[in-house]
Amino acid sequence: MTFEFQIYNMRFILLFSLCFLLFASCKDDKNIKEALPHLEVQQKVLKYAEGFSITNYKTHQEIIVTSPWPKSQDSFHYLLVKKGQEIPKHNDTDVVIKLPIEKVVVMSTTNIPSLEYLGIENKLVGFPSTKYISSEKTRTLIDNGTIKDLNNDLDLNMELLLDLQPNLVIGFSVNGNNKILNQIEKFGIPVVLDGAWTEKHPLGRAEWIKFIAAFFEKNKEADSIFNTIETNYLKAKTLALEVKDKPTVFSGSMFKDVWNIPGGKSFVAKYLEDANTDYLWKDNDANGSLQLNFENVLDKAQKAKLWIGAGSFQTKTQMTEQHKGYGYFDAFKTNNIYTYTKEVGPEGGLLYYELGPLRPDLILKDIINIAHPTILTNYENSFFKRLE
Protein backbone atom coordinates (compact mmCIF):
# COMPACT_ATOMS: atom_id res chain seq x y z
CA MET A 1 0.00 0.00 0.00
CA THR A 2 1.47 3.37 -1.04
CA PHE A 3 1.91 6.26 1.33
CA GLU A 4 -0.48 8.40 -0.78
CA PHE A 5 -3.17 5.68 -0.50
CA GLN A 6 -2.80 5.56 3.27
CA ILE A 7 -3.25 9.33 3.46
CA TYR A 8 -6.36 9.05 1.28
CA ASN A 9 -7.84 6.38 3.58
CA MET A 10 -7.16 8.46 6.67
CA ARG A 11 -8.88 11.48 5.08
CA PHE A 12 -11.87 9.31 4.14
CA ILE A 13 -12.15 7.93 7.67
CA LEU A 14 -11.90 11.41 9.20
CA LEU A 15 -14.51 12.78 6.78
CA PHE A 16 -16.86 9.86 7.49
CA SER A 17 -16.41 10.30 11.27
CA LEU A 18 -17.11 14.02 11.01
CA CYS A 19 -20.28 13.43 8.98
CA PHE A 20 -21.44 10.82 11.47
CA LEU A 21 -20.90 13.21 14.39
CA LEU A 22 -22.74 16.00 12.60
CA PHE A 23 -25.63 13.65 11.80
CA ALA A 24 -25.81 12.44 15.39
CA SER A 25 -25.67 16.02 16.66
CA CYS A 26 -28.45 17.10 14.32
CA LYS A 27 -30.53 14.12 15.38
CA ASP A 28 -29.99 14.97 19.05
CA ASP A 29 -30.90 18.61 18.40
CA LYS A 30 -34.01 17.46 16.61
CA ASN A 31 -34.99 15.29 19.57
CA ILE A 32 -34.42 18.20 21.95
CA LYS A 33 -36.47 20.57 19.83
CA GLU A 34 -39.23 18.00 19.54
CA ALA A 35 -39.20 17.55 23.32
CA LEU A 36 -39.37 21.26 24.19
CA PRO A 37 -43.05 21.82 23.38
CA HIS A 38 -43.99 19.05 25.79
CA LEU A 39 -42.52 21.05 28.68
CA GLU A 40 -45.29 23.64 28.15
CA VAL A 41 -43.43 26.38 30.02
CA GLN A 42 -45.18 29.73 29.92
CA GLN A 43 -44.61 32.80 32.06
CA LYS A 44 -47.71 34.79 32.88
CA VAL A 45 -47.65 38.34 31.55
CA LEU A 46 -48.02 40.97 34.27
CA LYS A 47 -48.69 44.53 33.15
CA TYR A 48 -47.82 46.62 36.21
CA ALA A 49 -46.81 44.43 39.15
CA GLU A 50 -43.04 44.10 39.57
CA GLY A 51 -42.81 42.15 42.82
CA PHE A 52 -43.80 38.66 41.70
CA SER A 53 -43.90 36.31 38.72
CA ILE A 54 -45.98 33.26 37.77
CA THR A 55 -44.62 30.51 35.53
CA ASN A 56 -46.87 27.72 34.31
CA TYR A 57 -45.42 24.25 33.78
CA LYS A 58 -47.19 21.13 32.60
CA THR A 59 -47.14 19.61 36.09
CA HIS A 60 -47.22 22.70 38.35
CA GLN A 61 -47.03 26.46 38.75
CA GLU A 62 -44.11 28.38 40.19
CA ILE A 63 -44.61 31.74 41.89
CA ILE A 64 -41.57 33.83 42.80
CA VAL A 65 -41.99 36.82 45.10
CA THR A 66 -39.05 39.18 44.60
CA SER A 67 -40.37 42.12 46.62
CA PRO A 68 -41.79 40.79 49.89
CA TRP A 69 -40.78 44.01 51.68
CA PRO A 70 -39.03 47.25 50.62
CA LYS A 71 -35.41 46.85 49.48
CA SER A 72 -35.49 43.12 50.13
CA GLN A 73 -32.55 41.09 48.84
CA ASP A 74 -34.48 37.85 49.35
CA SER A 75 -36.87 36.06 47.00
CA PHE A 76 -39.39 33.37 47.86
CA HIS A 77 -40.30 30.42 45.62
CA TYR A 78 -43.65 28.68 45.81
CA LEU A 79 -44.51 25.51 43.88
CA LEU A 80 -48.23 24.91 43.36
CA VAL A 81 -48.94 21.24 42.70
CA LYS A 82 -52.39 19.78 42.06
CA LYS A 83 -53.56 16.75 43.94
CA GLY A 84 -52.33 13.57 42.23
CA GLN A 85 -49.45 15.30 40.45
CA GLU A 86 -45.87 14.35 41.25
CA ILE A 87 -43.97 17.00 43.22
CA PRO A 88 -41.15 18.34 40.98
CA LYS A 89 -37.55 18.46 42.11
CA HIS A 90 -36.93 21.59 44.13
CA ASN A 91 -34.63 23.29 46.62
CA ASP A 92 -35.05 22.91 50.34
CA THR A 93 -36.04 26.57 50.64
CA ASP A 94 -38.90 26.24 48.12
CA VAL A 95 -42.41 26.01 49.60
CA VAL A 96 -44.59 23.27 48.11
CA ILE A 97 -48.32 24.02 48.23
CA LYS A 98 -50.75 21.26 47.40
CA LEU A 99 -53.95 22.23 45.59
CA PRO A 100 -56.85 22.57 46.00
CA ILE A 101 -56.84 24.95 48.96
CA GLU A 102 -59.98 24.41 51.01
CA LYS A 103 -59.13 26.46 54.11
CA VAL A 104 -57.03 29.62 54.26
CA VAL A 105 -55.93 32.16 56.87
CA VAL A 106 -54.93 35.66 55.72
CA MET A 107 -53.13 38.26 57.83
CA SER A 108 -54.14 41.52 56.12
CA THR A 109 -57.51 43.14 55.46
CA THR A 110 -56.26 43.95 51.95
CA ASN A 111 -56.68 40.26 51.07
CA ILE A 112 -60.38 40.25 51.99
CA PRO A 113 -61.65 41.99 48.80
CA SER A 114 -59.60 39.66 46.58
CA LEU A 115 -61.20 36.61 48.19
CA GLU A 116 -64.64 38.15 47.80
CA TYR A 117 -64.17 39.24 44.18
CA LEU A 118 -62.92 35.73 43.34
CA GLY A 119 -65.93 34.21 45.10
CA ILE A 120 -63.88 32.24 47.64
CA GLU A 121 -64.48 34.17 50.85
CA ASN A 122 -66.07 31.01 52.28
CA LYS A 123 -62.61 29.41 52.32
CA LEU A 124 -61.39 31.93 54.89
CA VAL A 125 -61.42 30.28 58.32
CA GLY A 126 -59.34 32.62 60.47
CA PHE A 127 -58.07 36.20 60.71
CA PRO A 128 -56.13 38.17 63.35
CA SER A 129 -58.22 41.01 64.84
CA THR A 130 -61.41 40.54 62.85
CA LYS A 131 -62.75 43.87 64.17
CA TYR A 132 -60.74 45.67 61.50
CA ILE A 133 -62.61 43.95 58.65
CA SER A 134 -65.20 46.32 57.13
CA SER A 135 -66.79 44.26 54.33
CA GLU A 136 -70.40 43.36 55.09
CA LYS A 137 -70.14 40.02 53.31
CA THR A 138 -67.13 38.85 55.31
CA ARG A 139 -68.46 40.36 58.54
CA THR A 140 -71.51 38.09 58.16
CA LEU A 141 -69.16 35.09 58.12
CA ILE A 142 -67.43 36.44 61.22
CA ASP A 143 -70.70 37.00 63.04
CA ASN A 144 -71.99 33.47 62.33
CA GLY A 145 -68.73 31.91 63.53
CA THR A 146 -67.43 30.70 60.15
CA ILE A 147 -64.34 32.91 60.45
CA LYS A 148 -62.52 32.74 63.79
CA ASP A 149 -60.67 35.62 65.44
CA LEU A 150 -57.01 34.65 65.97
CA ASN A 151 -56.23 37.47 68.42
CA ASN A 152 -53.62 39.67 66.69
CA ASP A 153 -50.68 39.15 64.37
CA LEU A 154 -48.13 39.87 67.14
CA ASP A 155 -49.70 37.43 69.59
CA LEU A 156 -51.48 34.92 67.38
CA ASN A 157 -53.70 32.28 68.98
CA MET A 158 -51.58 29.40 67.72
CA GLU A 159 -53.70 26.74 69.39
CA LEU A 160 -56.82 27.93 67.57
CA LEU A 161 -54.89 28.20 64.30
CA LEU A 162 -53.81 24.57 64.57
CA ASP A 163 -57.38 23.52 65.36
CA LEU A 164 -58.55 25.22 62.16
CA GLN A 165 -55.97 23.25 60.12
CA PRO A 166 -55.64 25.72 57.22
CA ASN A 167 -54.03 24.50 54.00
CA LEU A 168 -52.39 27.90 53.53
CA VAL A 169 -51.52 31.11 55.39
CA ILE A 170 -51.11 34.30 53.36
CA GLY A 171 -49.00 36.75 55.33
CA PHE A 172 -46.81 39.80 54.86
CA SER A 173 -43.54 41.12 56.24
CA VAL A 174 -42.45 44.69 56.95
CA ASN A 175 -38.72 43.99 57.20
CA GLY A 176 -38.11 40.22 57.06
CA ASN A 177 -38.58 39.57 60.78
CA ASN A 178 -41.34 36.96 60.68
CA LYS A 179 -41.35 35.25 64.06
CA ILE A 180 -45.04 34.35 63.99
CA LEU A 181 -44.96 33.21 60.36
CA ASN A 182 -41.82 31.14 61.01
CA GLN A 183 -43.57 29.49 63.92
CA ILE A 184 -46.55 28.62 61.72
CA GLU A 185 -44.23 27.04 59.15
CA LYS A 186 -42.67 24.83 61.84
CA PHE A 187 -46.08 23.21 62.28
CA GLY A 188 -46.05 22.20 58.61
CA ILE A 189 -48.52 24.84 57.40
CA PRO A 190 -47.39 26.51 54.14
CA VAL A 191 -46.92 30.29 54.43
CA VAL A 192 -46.65 32.68 51.48
CA LEU A 193 -45.75 36.39 51.53
CA ASP A 194 -47.93 38.99 49.81
CA GLY A 195 -45.82 42.01 48.81
CA ALA A 196 -48.53 43.99 47.02
CA TRP A 197 -47.99 46.97 49.31
CA THR A 198 -44.44 47.46 47.98
CA GLU A 199 -45.64 48.26 44.43
CA LYS A 200 -45.13 51.83 43.19
CA HIS A 201 -48.02 51.93 40.69
CA PRO A 202 -51.61 51.73 41.98
CA LEU A 203 -52.48 49.21 39.26
CA GLY A 204 -49.44 47.18 40.28
CA ARG A 205 -50.97 46.73 43.71
CA ALA A 206 -54.30 45.70 42.23
CA GLU A 207 -52.63 43.16 39.95
CA TRP A 208 -51.66 41.07 42.98
CA ILE A 209 -55.16 39.62 42.80
CA LYS A 210 -53.52 37.29 40.26
CA PHE A 211 -51.13 36.17 43.00
CA ILE A 212 -54.03 35.31 45.33
CA ALA A 213 -56.01 33.68 42.52
CA ALA A 214 -53.21 31.26 41.58
CA PHE A 215 -53.53 29.39 44.89
CA PHE A 216 -57.23 28.82 44.24
CA GLU A 217 -57.05 28.04 40.50
CA LYS A 218 -58.98 31.22 39.69
CA ASN A 219 -56.55 32.66 37.15
CA LYS A 220 -59.11 33.47 34.44
CA GLU A 221 -61.40 35.17 36.93
CA ALA A 222 -58.52 37.30 38.25
CA ASP A 223 -57.52 38.34 34.73
CA SER A 224 -61.09 39.46 33.99
CA ILE A 225 -61.42 41.38 37.27
CA PHE A 226 -58.10 43.14 36.82
CA ASN A 227 -58.77 44.03 33.18
CA THR A 228 -62.01 45.75 34.21
CA ILE A 229 -60.25 47.70 36.96
CA GLU A 230 -57.46 48.73 34.58
CA THR A 231 -59.92 49.86 31.91
CA ASN A 232 -61.86 51.97 34.42
CA TYR A 233 -58.64 53.50 35.76
CA LEU A 234 -57.22 54.44 32.35
CA LYS A 235 -60.56 55.82 31.15
CA ALA A 236 -60.80 58.09 34.22
CA LYS A 237 -57.18 59.19 33.76
CA THR A 238 -57.84 60.14 30.13
CA LEU A 239 -60.85 62.24 31.12
CA ALA A 240 -58.86 64.09 33.77
CA LEU A 241 -56.01 64.90 31.39
CA GLU A 242 -58.42 66.84 29.17
CA VAL A 243 -58.80 69.50 31.87
CA LYS A 244 -56.41 72.43 31.58
CA ASP A 245 -56.63 73.67 35.17
CA LYS A 246 -54.38 71.75 37.60
CA PRO A 247 -55.14 72.64 41.22
CA THR A 248 -52.21 72.64 43.64
CA VAL A 249 -52.36 69.75 46.12
CA PHE A 250 -50.58 68.52 49.21
CA SER A 251 -51.19 65.54 51.48
CA GLY A 252 -50.43 63.87 54.81
CA SER A 253 -50.57 65.06 58.40
CA MET A 254 -48.56 65.27 61.61
CA PHE A 255 -47.65 62.29 63.78
CA LYS A 256 -46.07 63.56 66.97
CA ASP A 257 -43.46 66.04 65.67
CA VAL A 258 -43.20 64.67 62.11
CA TRP A 259 -45.31 65.39 59.04
CA ASN A 260 -45.44 62.28 56.87
CA ILE A 261 -45.96 63.32 53.28
CA PRO A 262 -45.92 61.09 50.15
CA GLY A 263 -42.72 61.14 48.13
CA GLY A 264 -42.81 62.23 44.51
CA LYS A 265 -42.44 58.67 43.20
CA SER A 266 -44.91 57.09 45.64
CA PHE A 267 -48.17 55.45 44.60
CA VAL A 268 -50.06 58.37 46.21
CA ALA A 269 -48.15 60.83 44.02
CA LYS A 270 -49.06 58.66 41.03
CA TYR A 271 -52.75 59.03 41.87
CA LEU A 272 -52.38 62.80 42.08
CA GLU A 273 -50.48 62.87 38.77
CA ASP A 274 -53.06 60.73 36.97
CA ALA A 275 -55.85 62.90 38.39
CA ASN A 276 -54.15 65.86 36.66
CA THR A 277 -53.30 67.84 39.77
CA ASP A 278 -50.18 69.80 40.65
CA TYR A 279 -48.71 67.89 43.58
CA LEU A 280 -46.26 70.18 45.35
CA TRP A 281 -43.76 67.39 46.10
CA LYS A 282 -43.95 65.78 42.63
CA ASP A 283 -40.27 66.47 41.90
CA ASN A 284 -39.06 64.51 44.92
CA ASP A 285 -37.50 61.10 44.10
CA ALA A 286 -38.68 59.20 47.18
CA ASN A 287 -41.08 56.32 46.58
CA GLY A 288 -42.14 56.15 50.24
CA SER A 289 -43.01 58.87 52.75
CA LEU A 290 -41.00 61.97 53.56
CA GLN A 291 -40.59 62.95 57.20
CA LEU A 292 -40.77 66.75 57.40
CA ASN A 293 -41.34 69.25 60.18
CA PHE A 294 -44.42 71.47 60.32
CA GLU A 295 -42.60 74.61 59.16
CA ASN A 296 -41.30 72.87 55.99
CA VAL A 297 -44.82 71.92 54.93
CA LEU A 298 -46.42 75.25 55.86
CA ASP A 299 -43.81 77.18 53.90
CA LYS A 300 -44.53 75.22 50.73
CA ALA A 301 -48.22 74.34 51.00
CA GLN A 302 -49.87 77.21 52.85
CA LYS A 303 -51.45 78.57 49.65
CA ALA A 304 -52.31 75.18 48.11
CA LYS A 305 -55.91 74.83 46.94
CA LEU A 306 -56.53 71.22 48.03
CA TRP A 307 -55.46 69.06 50.95
CA ILE A 308 -56.18 65.47 49.93
CA GLY A 309 -55.47 62.59 52.29
CA ALA A 310 -55.27 64.45 55.60
CA GLY A 311 -55.01 61.36 57.80
CA SER A 312 -58.03 59.66 59.35
CA PHE A 313 -59.68 62.70 60.91
CA GLN A 314 -63.45 62.92 60.86
CA THR A 315 -63.77 66.69 61.47
CA LYS A 316 -61.72 69.89 61.28
CA THR A 317 -62.16 70.28 65.03
CA GLN A 318 -60.34 66.99 65.57
CA MET A 319 -57.49 68.33 63.46
CA THR A 320 -56.97 71.54 65.40
CA GLU A 321 -57.24 69.66 68.67
CA GLN A 322 -54.21 67.65 67.54
CA HIS A 323 -52.27 70.60 66.10
CA LYS A 324 -53.46 74.23 66.04
CA GLY A 325 -51.15 74.96 63.13
CA TYR A 326 -53.43 73.13 60.69
CA GLY A 327 -55.64 76.24 60.74
CA TYR A 328 -52.93 78.30 59.00
CA PHE A 329 -53.42 76.54 55.65
CA ASP A 330 -55.69 78.07 53.02
CA ALA A 331 -57.21 74.65 52.29
CA PHE A 332 -58.32 74.51 55.95
CA LYS A 333 -59.85 77.99 55.79
CA THR A 334 -61.73 77.28 52.54
CA ASN A 335 -63.01 73.83 53.61
CA ASN A 336 -60.97 72.02 50.98
CA ILE A 337 -59.65 69.23 53.20
CA TYR A 338 -60.45 65.63 52.26
CA THR A 339 -59.85 62.44 54.19
CA TYR A 340 -60.44 58.79 53.29
CA THR A 341 -62.87 58.26 56.18
CA LYS A 342 -66.16 58.23 54.25
CA GLU A 343 -66.82 54.53 54.81
CA VAL A 344 -66.12 53.14 58.29
CA GLY A 345 -66.80 49.53 59.24
CA PRO A 346 -68.99 48.57 62.22
CA GLU A 347 -65.87 48.04 64.37
CA GLY A 348 -64.03 51.15 63.17
CA GLY A 349 -62.04 49.76 60.23
CA LEU A 350 -61.64 52.04 57.19
CA LEU A 351 -62.85 50.61 53.88
CA TYR A 352 -60.16 52.68 52.14
CA TYR A 353 -57.39 50.54 53.61
CA GLU A 354 -59.26 47.31 52.89
CA LEU A 355 -60.74 47.78 49.42
CA GLY A 356 -58.61 50.64 48.10
CA PRO A 357 -55.54 48.58 47.05
CA LEU A 358 -57.72 46.38 44.83
CA ARG A 359 -59.79 49.27 43.46
CA PRO A 360 -57.37 52.03 42.46
CA ASP A 361 -59.90 53.05 39.83
CA LEU A 362 -62.30 54.14 42.59
CA ILE A 363 -59.57 56.05 44.44
CA LEU A 364 -58.54 57.83 41.23
CA LYS A 365 -62.16 58.75 40.47
CA ASP A 366 -62.57 60.13 43.99
CA ILE A 367 -59.54 62.38 43.55
CA ILE A 368 -60.66 63.48 40.09
CA ASN A 369 -64.10 64.29 41.49
CA ILE A 370 -62.46 66.44 44.16
CA ALA A 371 -60.02 68.21 41.83
CA HIS A 372 -62.30 68.49 38.78
CA PRO A 373 -65.92 68.30 40.01
CA THR A 374 -67.52 68.65 36.56
CA ILE A 375 -65.74 65.71 34.92
CA LEU A 376 -67.55 62.68 36.33
CA THR A 377 -71.31 63.01 35.94
CA ASN A 378 -73.41 62.06 38.98
CA TYR A 379 -70.40 60.47 40.66
CA GLU A 380 -70.44 59.84 44.42
CA ASN A 381 -67.11 59.31 46.16
CA SER A 382 -66.33 55.83 47.45
CA PHE A 383 -63.68 56.65 50.07
CA PHE A 384 -62.97 60.39 50.37
CA LYS A 385 -65.09 63.01 52.08
CA ARG A 386 -64.79 66.73 52.70
CA LEU A 387 -64.16 67.63 56.33
CA GLU A 388 -66.62 70.08 57.89
Side-chain angles (χ1 to χ4, degrees):
M1 181 181 295
T2 65
F3 177 78
E4 289 78 10
F5 186 78
Q6 287 178 332
I7 293 296
Y8 175 82
N9 279 348
M10 289 175 65
R11 287 176 177 173
F12 179 81
I13 292 170
L14 287 171
L15 183 60
F16 177 82
S17 300
L18 181 60
C19 291
F20 177 81
L21 288 172
L22 287 172
F23 175 77
S25 176
C26 292
K27 185 177 180 181
D28 287 342
D29 284 344
K30 183 179 179 182
N31 289 338
I32 291 172
K33 290 177 182 178
E34 287 178 351
L36 283 175
H38 297 293
L39 292 175
E40 298 181 6
V41 179
Q42 183 179 14
Q43 186 162 5
K44 189 175 185 64
V45 176
L46 300 174
K47 298 181 180 180
Y48 301 89
E50 299 178 350
F52 77 102
S53 65
I54 300 178
T55 304
N56 298 311
Y57 295 86
K58 185 178 181 180
T59 56
H60 66 285
Q61 279 188 313
E62 181 183 42
I63 298 179
I64 302 177
V65 174
T66 53
S67 182
W69 56 83
K71 299 180 181 179
S72 170
Q73 299 299 314
D74 299 325
S75 62
F76 295 82
H77 295 235
Y78 308 115
L79 303 181
L80 284 58
V81 184
K82 292 182 181 180
K83 185 177 180 180
Q85 291 279 11
E86 183 179 352
I87 297 175
K89 292 182 180 179
H90 59 279
N91 296 325
D92 293 339
T93 55
D94 296 345
V95 179
V96 177
I97 298 154
K98 298 180 181 178
L99 307 181
I101 301 296
E102 298 297 342
K103 293 189 292 184
V104 65
V105 166
V106 302
M107 306 292 280
S108 171
T109 57
T110 59
N111 297 137
I112 301 299
S114 293
L115 297 178
E116 290 186 355
Y117 274 58
L118 293 168
I120 51 176
E121 69 276 358
N122 61 319
K123 294 183 183 293
L124 182 63
V125 295
F127 186 88
S129 302
T130 55
K131 67 179 182 180
Y132 293 116
I133 295 177
S134 302
S135 165
E136 292 183 7
K137 184 183 289 187
T138 300
R139 287 225 62 87
T140 299
L141 296 174
I142 294 168
D143 294 339
N144 67 25
T146 302
I147 299 172
K148 305 297 183 182
D149 191 304
L150 297 171
N151 198 27
N152 64 68
D153 54 0
L154 296 178
D155 186 22
L156 207 67
N157 187 335
M158 200 64 66
E159 184 177 351
L160 178 55
L161 177 73
L162 295 177
D163 286 342
L164 294 174
Q165 297 183 324
N167 309 117
L168 179 68
V169 171
I170 300 175
F172 65 93
S173 177
V174 175
N175 54 18
N177 295 324
N178 311 311
K179 292 181 180 179
I180 294 294
L181 297 181
N182 291 340
Q183 188 177 355
I184 294 172
E185 287 180 322
K186 289 179 181 178
F187 288 109
I189 301 172
V191 175
V192 299
L193 293 179
D194 181 343
W197 64 284
T198 67
E199 295 288 344
K200 300 179 183 66
H201 196 294
L203 286 171
R205 293 187 166 203
E207 198 165 18
W208 277 72
I209 190 175
K210 298 176 183 179
F211 171 84
I212 301 295
F215 298 101
F216 298 92
E217 302 176 84
K218 292 280 186 177
N219 301 298
K220 290 182 179 180
E221 291 86 344
D223 288 345
S224 177
I225 292 165
F226 177 76
N227 289 341
T228 299
I229 293 169
E230 179 195 25
T231 299
N232 292 341
Y233 186 100
L234 296 179
K235 183 178 179 181
K237 175 183 175 181
T238 300
L239 286 173
L241 292 177
E242 294 176 358
V243 181
K244 294 182 180 180
D245 179 46
K246 297 174 66 172
T248 51
V249 178
F250 70 109
S251 187
S253 58
M254 296 288 291
F255 180 73
K256 295 184 178 180
D257 296 328
V258 176
W259 192 307
N260 293 289
I261 199 162
K265 297 295 183 289
S266 67
F267 72 94
V268 174
K270 184 60 178 173
Y271 277 126
L272 296 173
E273 175 190 346
D274 290 347
N276 198 18
T277 70
D278 182 13
Y279 179 47
L280 294 177
W281 275 265
K282 63 180 180 295
D283 295 329
N284 179 272
D285 291 332
N287 54 33
S289 294
L290 303 172
Q291 284 73 47
L292 306 177
N293 62 42
F294 178 84
E295 289 74 19
N296 292 148
V297 180
L298 181 64
D299 182 60
K300 193 166 187 174
Q302 184 173 8
K303 300 297 182 182
K305 182 177 181 179
L306 299 173
W307 186 349
I308 300 177
S312 56
F313 297 106
Q314 289 286 356
T315 65
K316 290 170 64 179
T317 301
Q318 286 181 358
M319 294 186 69
T320 52
E321 286 175 351
Q322 189 209 63
H323 198 293
K324 292 182 180 180
Y326 288 146
Y328 297 145
F329 291 89
D330 284 2
F332 187 97
K333 298 174 183 177
T334 57
N335 293 326
N336 278 313
I337 304 174
Y338 295 84
T339 64
Y340 34 73
T341 57
K342 182 174 185 288
E343 296 295 335
V344 182
E347 299 291 335
L350 293 179
L351 191 64
Y352 172 83
Y353 289 127
E354 184 174 310
L355 180 60
L358 180 62
R359 294 302 307 270
D361 54 325
L362 297 181
I363 293 178
L364 180 63
K365 286 181 179 180
D366 277 12
I367 297 174
I368 291 172
N369 196 41
I370 293 167
H372 313 292
T374 61
I375 293 294
L376 303 174
T377 307
N378 299 322
Y379 180 78
E380 182 179 345
N381 282 4
S382 298
F383 306 111
F384 285 85
K385 74 172 187 178
R386 184 201 297 263
L387 291 192
E388 302 296 339

